[in-house]
Amino acid sequence: MNKQVVLSGIRPTGFLHLGNYFGALRNYIKMQEEFDCYFFVANWHSLTTHPDTKELKQSVYRVIAENIACGLDYKKATLFVQSDVPAIAELYLYLNMMAYKGELEKTTTFKDKVRQQPENVNAGLLTYPVLQTADILIHRATLVPVGKDQEQHLEMARNFAERFNYRYGETFPLPKAFNYGNELIKILSLDGNGKMSKSENQLATLYLADEDDAIRKKIMRAKTDSGPTEPNTQKPDYITNLFTLLQLVSTTDTVEKFETDYNNCVIRYGDMKKQLAEDMVAFITPIREKAAELQANETLMKEIIQLGAEKANKNAQKTLQIVRDAIGLNYF
Ligand code: TYM
């Protein structure tokens, strides 16, 4: 039986952080053992918000290096850069004929960007979910490991795929958002204000490139409160977030100790943060060092990116042929 196809991407708009790790990378590493995987750097998408390309190449290299440093094996999975696969742009063009202005304008991420960059509400921003759909469908992927913030884009991708199939005949399997834990994940910023993100609120974001002292400082400043006063109280979301991070990097015994302390109303957040900080340093340090070493090896980076481009183009061309036949764009 053919393996299911997995696809996911990350924009090179800044340093990767623990939200990216939890929502996406952690699943990539597991999925590469079971599925036919395609992971990529969404550099076209980044142009919708970051038109200045001075640092783009370094950012693309860094995302590739950080993917590998987290455990991605570029020989098992296909790891590529979006702009190396022109077939995506052609499929984007066809899908744009099936995406309506009204629905695109209603997309949450579009409305957010209109607020954030009123001076640059470009058409690429409006059709962002269409390009994302093309990324997924060009590899006929069915599983898309992403965080909670991408849920709406994935629903739109299913709709566009269904519309294409209805209009031109069964062509694409329907993709869905995926997380091993079922529920999609959202890691909050350490100050409890919104999600952890690459470019906002850097002092409350834990980056995979952070130095040990920065990690300690950020965690010690994380939002807490005076603790529960009634046994077994439901945790506020910023406390749940700290426990989620603890589960990622600390031992089961440590997590259980602080869970019990919380439920018995004797938790000392200062102690919990100190433990979390040390365990986080131990988790991030090898990733940071490995990523820096890879990124500095330009010859290797180029080899990896070229290999990914070859593998991704081969598969994308196959889909494009099916798509052209389905639409009837074959004249000789
Ligand atoms: P991007 O670059 O914003 O984020 C990359 C991945 O990290 C996840 N993520 C989070 N998960 C949990 N908590 C957070 N705080 C958090 N922040 C980010 C995102 O959900 C994502 O999985 N549109 C996509 C890139 C993209 C894509 C695609 C993804 C382009 N084409 C096709 C999947 C399939 C984006 O902006 O991700």
Side-chain angles (χ1 to χ4, degrees):
M1 208 180 81
N2 276 347
K3 287 183 187 171
Q4 284 200 74
V5 178
V6 172
L7 175 127
S8 196
I10 300 182
R11 279 172 308 149
T13 49
F15 290 84
L16 299 198
H17 52 75
L18 278 189
N20 301 129
Y21 185 83
F22 255 100
L25 284 160
R26 190 169 59 140
N27 285 331
Y28 297 3
I29 311 309
K30 244 172 124 178
M31 291 178 102
Q32 66 182 345
E33 308 298 335
E34 284 184 62
F35 302 106
D36 184 8
C37 291
Y38 293 84
F39 299 116
F40 74 103
V41 186
N43 60 339
W44 279 337
H45 276 109
S46 74
L47 296 176
T48 62
T49 51
H50 293 63
D52 182 347
T53 52
K54 271 200 294 294
E55 288 174 12
L56 186 57
K57 186 171 176 183
Q58 273 320 307
S59 296
V60 168
Y61 277 18
R62 189 178 336 102
V63 176
I64 293 276
E66 286 182 325
N67 269 273
I68 298 170
C70 286
L72 203 93
D73 181 344
Y74 64 90
K75 291 183 180 142
K76 264 188 206 154
T78 299
L79 179 60
F80 67 100
V81 179
Q82 189 179 34
S83 60
D84 286 335
V85 184
I88 300 169
E90 186 172 331
L91 182 55
Y92 169 52
L93 181 146
Y94 303 137
L95 293 170
N96 268 324
M97 316 303 175
M98 265 161 249
Y100 300 105
K101 180 171 163 273
E103 63 186 336
L104 295 171
E105 278 171 346
K106 271 191 254 156
T107 314
T108 313
T109 45
F110 176 70
K111 290 195 284 190
D112 288 347
K113 295 291 184 239
V114 171
R115 269 193 298 274
Q116 288 162 10
Q117 51 179 67
E119 74 300 341
N120 183 16
V121 183
N122 58 74
L125 211 49
L126 183 68
T127 57
Y128 185 113
V130 187
L131 180 56
Q132 181 156 348
T133 306
D135 294 328
I136 299 167
L137 298 186
I138 202 72
H139 293 298
R140 308 161 59 70
T142 51
L143 302 178
V144 186
V146 283
K148 179 94 182 146
D149 58 319
Q150 296 297 312
E151 198 167 34
Q152 190 182 28
H153 288 170
L154 262 294
E155 278 163 20
M156 294 174 83
R158 277 176 86 83
N159 283 338
F160 296 144
E162 272 183 320
R163 248 175 247 173
F164 188 100
N165 289 347
Y166 180 75
R167 201 174 282 181
Y168 297 117
E170 237 10 79
T171 305
F172 295 115
L174 301 184
K176 61 171 193 285
F178 179 89
N179 175 33
Y180 276 104
N182 289 327
E183 284 283 296
L184 298 183
I185 289 202
K186 175 177 170 181
I187 297 296
L188 298 184
S189 174
L190 292 175
D191 61 6
N193 289 327
K195 65 164 189 169
M196 202 172 266
S197 100
K198 290 191 208 97
S199 38
E200 283 161 48
N201 213 351
Q202 306 194 345
L203 290 177
T205 302
L206 285 170
Y207 295 100
L208 299 177
D210 273 343
E211 296 290 336
D212 298 357
D213 281 349
I215 298 169
R216 291 194 182 97
K217 224 180 260 164
K218 289 180 187 181
I219 291 180
M220 293 317 288
R221 289 169 37 137
K223 177 171 177 178
T224 51
D225 49 34
S226 51
T229 49
E230 304 257 326
N232 305 314
T233 319
Q234 204 189 342
K235 299 185 187 87
D237 55 5
Y238 48 89
I239 298 295
T240 302
N241 201 44
L242 289 182
F243 272 95
T244 306
L245 299 181
L246 200 67
Q247 274 165 14
L248 173 69
V249 297
S250 303
T251 62
T252 329
D253 285 354
T254 305
V255 179
E256 273 171 17
K257 176 207 165 345
F258 288 109
E259 282 283 359
T260 310
D261 285 356
Y262 182 88
N263 288 327
N264 294 332
C265 309
V266 293
I267 187 146
R268 292 159 60 129
Y269 286 130
D271 291 351
M272 176 166 151
K273 289 202 253 185
K274 258 189 218 143
Q275 182 70 48
L276 177 60
E278 289 321 307
D279 294 341
M280 191 61 77
V281 166
F283 174 77
I284 288 182
T285 302
I287 296 180
R288 180 187 66 225
E289 288 173 353
K290 175 91 187 159
E293 183 193 315
L294 283 165
Q295 205 187 330
N297 187 343
E298 203 165 328
T299 316
L300 178 63
M301 294 305 297
K302 284 184 180 165
E303 264 172 42
I304 293 170
I305 292 171
Q306 195 180 351
L307 175 71
E310 281 161 16
K311 290 202 279 181
N313 271 313
K314 204 162 152 212
N315 196 47
Q317 279 305 329
K318 274 194 220 152
T319 306
L320 202 55
Q321 203 46 54
I322 297 170
V323 168
R324 285 165 155 249
D325 288 345
I327 305 180
L329 302 169
N330 40 2
Y331 303 112
F332 57 87

